[in-house]
Amino acid sequence: MKLGLFGGGRLGVLEPEGVYDVTALAPSGLGGPLAALIASGYPLEAEAVRAQPRIAAADVRWEAPLPRPGKIIGAPANYFEHVDEMPDSATIVEWGVFLKAGTSVTGPDTVVRLPYRDRRTDHEGELAVVIGAGGRDIPREEALDHVYGYTGILDITVRSSEDRSTRKSFDTFSPLGPWVVTADEVGDAGDLGLRLTVNGVVRQESTTAKLIYGIPELIAYASSVMTLEPGDVIATGTPAGVGPIVDGDAVELEIDRIGSLRVTVSDCAAIPYADRPGPGTAARRQ
Ligand code: MN
């Protein structure tokens, strides 16, 4: 089943014949109806879905399926081919995982806003895992039982000296979507093709079969550090081909059996890096 948000936070199920507005079937709760549905642990029954109002898919403008995840866990340097293009040869085995702010999420067909005029900002196209049942110290062998579904994420990143959690947490830096595909519909996510284009030109093309920490290892490792909760998102890492995005670019991430996530890029609010608040007034070592 493909579940997403539209129309200002309504819950929709995409089927070949259209989109069913299943908002009435979802519990209310923090983080929107999909997050609340995931937290409830109850699946939607196909029969109940088809009894709801139906809209033509062409009339639906999808929003981020999980607009405010409790956690976005990132996997740095999780494809060897991406490690090879970076200045540091360390991998996720050395780095562990990192966190992005939940407020960095934006939806399909929105605008990624570049913060700095004179600092490179990169696209990172990634498969995102959405956690269903939470847990701590989840064994690798049971990890996939904790997956609700999958979606796409762009882990937008400023290349500068700050910590990852800073460089990746600007508002609009986590486009998510276009919808969440439940784990049963995706099947084996261990060999999903993904490709990212900028203005129609392929920049990244790989498969999740090349992940260093696969999905079970990511869940086992992350849950050994922090309790995973329903609706948490794990960005599984980006393959080779990471590159800069600039004002006016159109970025599209396509993942097999999931769909396409498109955004555009704007620098209309960008400032010089040297003008960012802080450094001008920060205490200097005497
Ligand atoms: Mn990344």
Side-chain angles (χ1 to χ4, degrees):
M1 199 174 276
K2 296 181 175 74
L3 301 107
L5 300 193
F6 71 101
R10 303 192 69 79
L11 181 61
V13 172
L14 174 63
E15 294 289 351
E17 66 273 22
V19 175
Y20 291 92
D21 182 344
V22 300
T23 310
L25 303 178
S28 57
L30 288 176
L34 181 54
L37 180 71
I38 294 171
S40 77
Y42 291 106
L44 288 179
E45 302 298 337
E47 201 174 321
V49 168
R50 289 202 155 84
Q52 300 303 307
R54 194 176 78 200
I55 305 153
D59 294 337
V60 170
R61 185 181 177 281
W62 295 101
E63 299 159 1
L66 298 161
R68 288 294 177 265
K71 291 191 283 298
I72 303 171
I73 299 168
N78 200 22
Y79 285 84
F80 285 117
E81 291 159 359
H82 172 54
V83 172
D84 292 342
E85 67 184 357
M86 299 303 282
D88 198 308
S89 63
T91 73
I92 188 169
V93 178
E94 288 82 32
W95 292 116
V97 294
F98 64 87
L99 293 173
K100 299 188 81 167
T103 43
S104 65
V105 169
T106 187
D109 302 305
T110 61
V111 178
V112 170
R113 299 201 175 276
L114 304 179
Y116 305 125
R117 256 181 241 156
D118 48 356
R119 280 293 177 279
R120 178 173 150 173
T121 300
D122 284 357
H123 58 76
E124 296 189 355
E126 311 191 5
L127 175 73
V129 176
V130 176
I131 296 298
R136 162 108 201 166
D137 293 326
I138 298 168
R140 192 196 162 283
E141 299 71 31
E142 295 170 18
L144 294 179
D145 298 340
H146 292 259
V147 176
Y148 181 83
Y150 301 92
T151 188
I153 191 166
L154 293 170
D155 176 17
I156 306 292
T157 307
V158 170
R159 299 292 169 203
S160 59
S161 61
E162 290 91 344
D163 186 80
R164 277 194 183 83
S165 62
T166 302
R167 297 185 287 108
K168 293 170 174 281
S169 283
F170 290 88
D171 285 7
T172 75
F173 268 29
S174 298
L176 190 71
W179 42 65
V180 174
V181 187
T182 52
D184 62 328
E185 184 169 315
V186 171
D188 178 13
D191 189 8
L192 284 179
L194 67 162
R195 64 210 60 81
L196 181 140
T197 61
V198 177
N199 305 326
V201 178
V202 176
R203 290 259 189 100
Q204 300 189 272
E205 189 160 26
S206 192
T207 157
T208 55
K210 295 185 174 179
L211 286 167
I212 298 174
Y213 277 10
I215 296 161
E217 289 80 12
L218 280 170
I219 291 171
Y221 175 73
S223 73
S224 77
V225 178
M226 56 191 107
T227 299
L228 299 184
E229 297 183 318
D232 282 348
V233 170
I234 302 177
T236 54
T238 201
V242 162
I245 48 175
V246 298
D247 185 67
D249 279 348
V251 183
E252 179 168 5
L253 170 66
E254 188 189 351
I255 305 179
D256 293 350
R257 301 205 292 277
I258 293 179
S260 286
L261 171 66
R262 280 175 292 269
V263 291
T264 55
V265 179
S266 171
D267 71 356
C268 71
I271 60 169
Y273 181 71
D275 289 355
R276 68 197 190 283
T281 54
R284 302 252 186 271
R285 189 188 296 277
Q286 295 304 304

